[in-house]
Amino acid sequence: MPIGIIDSGVGGLTVMGELLNRMPNEQFLYIGDDARCPYGNRSPEEVVTFTSEMIEALHRFGVKMVVIACNTATAFALKHVQEIYDFPIIGVIEPGARTAVETSKTERIVVLGTTGTVKSEAYDQAIIAMANDAWVHALACPEFVPIVERGVYKLEEADRVVQQTLEVLSDETFDTVILGCTHFPLLAPFIRKHLPEGTQLITSGSATADTVIHILDQKQLQRTKIMDQQSTFYTTGNPDHFKLIVQDWLQCEDPIVKQLVL
Ligand code: DGL
């Protein structure tokens, strides 16, 4: 059976890239809810409803586990859906927080996220649970996701928005920054450019892949043979636009992209 991945839009592709590299034998089904993106400004109840709808769709397709490759959905809906389904469901906040705590030498950590993720304080709590003396500053970056969804993440407009948003950090001292939204790795070159030199940028993809591999091993669910089934991408938005971002980010020549109505 395939592994399901969900996000509010194209952001989860940044996690899927890691999963594809580390698990070349696995088949993935990806759902991006681009029609209702961004989730970052929505109420917790809406995020729980939309996340549950995507996981129910994956359940009907048939999956052996699900990765919620969206920080906002992880913050608000992970516990809820874990109680409903009997296949493993994991999020991206714990893996990202763990990597940051392991990486930071000063335990002064900045989290960049959506308004919802920042308000939920999910990263603050996860980091403090692992390093109780850590200093955590979470900064909402509500303008980043629309830039990525529109596909203009390499343009000068993106550079300008990133610079303006990160300006408030100029008086702070920190050595590690978590990209606490899966859309943000697409803006990483600009984010790096506008942070002090030597700052460690943390994405949750690699630590999330470690967790997936561990669960598949434990439950003996990993695929051992390469099969002929290609991964499939579903979007509630425009499949042609979605395809362009898959091709760019995953260097995948002819991905199967379909429209899904939730
Ligand atoms: N990619 C998502 C995240 O990691 C959500 C972005 C959004 O829809 O606001 O938080």
Side-chain angles (χ1 to χ4, degrees), residues 25-56:
N25 291 350
E26 297 292 338
Q27 184 200 10
F28 297 91
L29 295 186
Y30 183 103
I31 302 181
D33 192 9
D34 302 77
R36 300 187 290 198
C37 187
Y39 282 8
N41 311 322
R42 291 187 181 273
S43 70
E45 293 74 23
E46 271 182 311
V47 176
V48 170
T49 305
F50 297 170
T51 305
S52 305
E53 286 173 2
M54 286 193 279
I55 296 186
E56 183 52 29

Side-chain angles (χ1 to χ4, degrees), residues 8 13 21 87 112 114 132 134 145 172 185 190 211 228:
S8 62
L13 297 175
N21 284 340
F87 46 78
L112 306 180
T114 65
N132 52 14
V145 170
E172 306 285 8
F190 293 136
T211 309
D228 212 15

